[in-house]
Amino acid sequence: MIGITVSIVVLLWLYQDLDIANFLSSIATADLVWIIVLGGTILLEQLIRGWKWRQILFDLKPISSATLFGAILAGYGVAILIPLGVSPLVRSWLIARLEGLRWACVLMTSAIERFLDGIVFALFATIVATAGRIPDIEGNVRAGLAVAGGLNLLLFSFLFYLLFVGRGPLGRENARISRAIDWLAARGGARLDGLRAAIQNGIIWPSDRRRQIGAVLASILIKIIAATHFLWAGLAVGIVLAPFDYLFLMVFAGFALVLARFIRVPGGFIVGSSFALQLLGVPDEQALAMILFTHFLSIVLMVGFGLLFLFRSAVNIREAH
């Protein structure tokens, strides 16, 4: 409740001069064609994410990109309804049930995909901080983005390295990490039998060089597509920005979202995007319309298609344990 209150107060402060009539007019007169394009790119981004996950999973089991795409949407859909960061857990659980794999094994591949995403995002933040057009305000946004990008790059690179370095000791029963996992498995009952082997099998990287390159390029393309979301939303209300401004919006809103989740304040994407658009000089009415188009269209598509995939996959959530 404190987090919700803080979020509402910040939004009211950011939009204290909002012209309601102008805002409603911006929504009513928005170009539907660009809204449709926005929805298409939101789904395309997740389809490419599914293809990227397929490259990582391929040596474990070739799974169709369409199935992984549906699982990703289902994970995001459930995460929107239950905002506790459950998306990787849900998508991994779903693929494990559909493909006859161990949940812990699939979860490791999801973690690898997330860590790769984090490294690429940090590189984009560094590019924006060093080469982008950053609004001049008190507090030096450029330096903040550079530091945040550098820290993220170090963090996710270390996690990526730690994951694969830790794979070796999992094969030795006397290793400390092996004993810890075996202790956990022994207290988890039959469902955790073979947990250590499942985790070890899930820490994989494509053996085919083309799939390695494909996974990295897909992660880069995902970020580029994410940066175009505000382009389409802006075109719908007559706003056009410089190319680097869209990268700045993607990076700034991404950091705001992560920070808001860390301090348990909802609406991090909306607050971060609102602040960034104001820095770029976008009128409040059009800025809020752009944010609402992007945010709520994402929610509708993720929840709608995600729950549809759950229904079509014949997984009965009420009987799941």
Side-chain angles (χ1 to χ4, degrees):
M1 292 304 296
I2 293 174
I4 292 173
T5 303
V6 170
S7 183
I8 292 174
V9 169
V10 172
L11 285 173
L12 289 175
W13 173 72
L14 286 170
Y15 292 108
Q16 56 186 312
D17 298 324
L18 183 73
D19 186 331
I20 299 297
N22 192 356
F23 166 64
L24 295 177
S25 176
S26 297
I27 293 179
T29 60
D31 191 332
L32 185 59
V33 172
W34 294 118
I35 301 298
I36 295 173
V37 173
L38 172 61
T41 56
I42 290 172
L43 292 177
L44 176 62
E45 178 187 343
Q46 304 312 322
L47 179 60
I48 295 174
R49 187 179 300 279
W51 184 85
K52 179 183 69 170
W53 195 13
R54 169 179 164 79
Q55 309 315 304
I56 296 172
L57 273 164
F58 194 84
D59 289 353
L60 181 65
K61 183 177 182 179
I63 303 173
S64 73
S65 298
T67 300
L68 297 172
F69 168 65
I72 288 170
L73 290 183
Y76 281 135
V78 174
I80 290 171
L81 299 175
I82 308 173
L84 296 174
V86 298
S87 174
L89 307 179
V90 173
R91 69 155 103 157
S92 300
W93 170 80
L94 188 55
I95 291 299
R97 286 179 68 93
L98 293 176
E99 300 294 334
L101 299 170
R102 293 295 301 272
W103 174 72
C105 182
V106 181
L107 183 61
M108 289 297 101
T109 66
S110 182
I112 292 169
E113 188 263 334
R114 283 294 185 96
F115 292 165
L116 177 59
D117 247 14
I119 293 172
V120 171
F121 178 79
L123 291 174
F124 268 96
T126 304
I127 292 172
V128 170
T130 55
R133 184 178 70 88
I134 305 296
D136 294 325
I137 63 168
E138 184 178 356
N140 201 336
V141 175
R142 187 183 300 275
L145 286 178
V147 171
L151 290 176
N152 268 265
L153 182 60
L154 290 175
L155 172 64
F156 284 106
S157 298
F158 175 73
L159 290 173
F160 202 88
Y161 171 77
L162 190 65
L163 199 62
F164 283 92
V165 168
R167 189 181 189 279
L170 290 175
R172 303 194 300 269
E173 293 186 3
N174 60 343
R176 183 175 299 177
I177 187 172
S178 297
R179 294 200 303 268
I181 294 175
D182 290 343
W183 175 86
L184 178 64
R187 281 150 183 78
R191 71 179 64 178
L192 291 185
D193 285 346
L195 177 62
R196 175 158 55 90
I199 293 175
Q200 186 178 24
N201 292 336
I203 304 175
I204 54 175
W205 184 247
S207 56
D208 189 330
R209 180 61 59 87
R210 292 173 299 177
R211 297 192 183 280
Q212 297 174 5
I213 297 173
V216 175
L217 292 180
S219 192
I220 294 172
L221 183 58
I222 285 170
K223 296 308 175 189
I224 294 174
I225 293 175
T228 68
H229 291 172
F230 277 117
L231 168 62
W232 315 126
L235 288 172
V237 294
I239 298 294
V240 179
L241 303 171
F244 258 107
D245 289 343
Y246 296 108
L247 289 177
F248 169 73
L249 283 168
M250 185 267 292
V251 169
F252 196 96
F255 277 131
L257 179 61
V258 172
L259 179 61
R261 284 176 177 173
F262 181 74
I263 62 178
R264 311 307 303 164
V265 174
F269 173 81
I270 297 176
V271 173
S273 300
S274 299
F275 188 64
L277 285 168
Q278 284 193 356
L279 292 179
L280 294 172
V282 178
D284 288 348
E285 294 76 19
Q286 284 74 28
L288 186 56
M290 291 167 62
I291 293 168
L292 292 181
F293 286 145
T294 303
H295 187 59
F296 286 108
L297 195 56
S298 297
I299 291 176
V300 170
L301 292 174
M302 297 298 181
V303 173
F305 282 96
L307 295 183
L308 178 63
F309 181 81
L310 281 174
F311 174 76
R312 288 180 58 84
S313 63
V315 174
N316 190 338
I317 296 179
R318 291 176 297 178
E319 297 178 359
H321 298 282

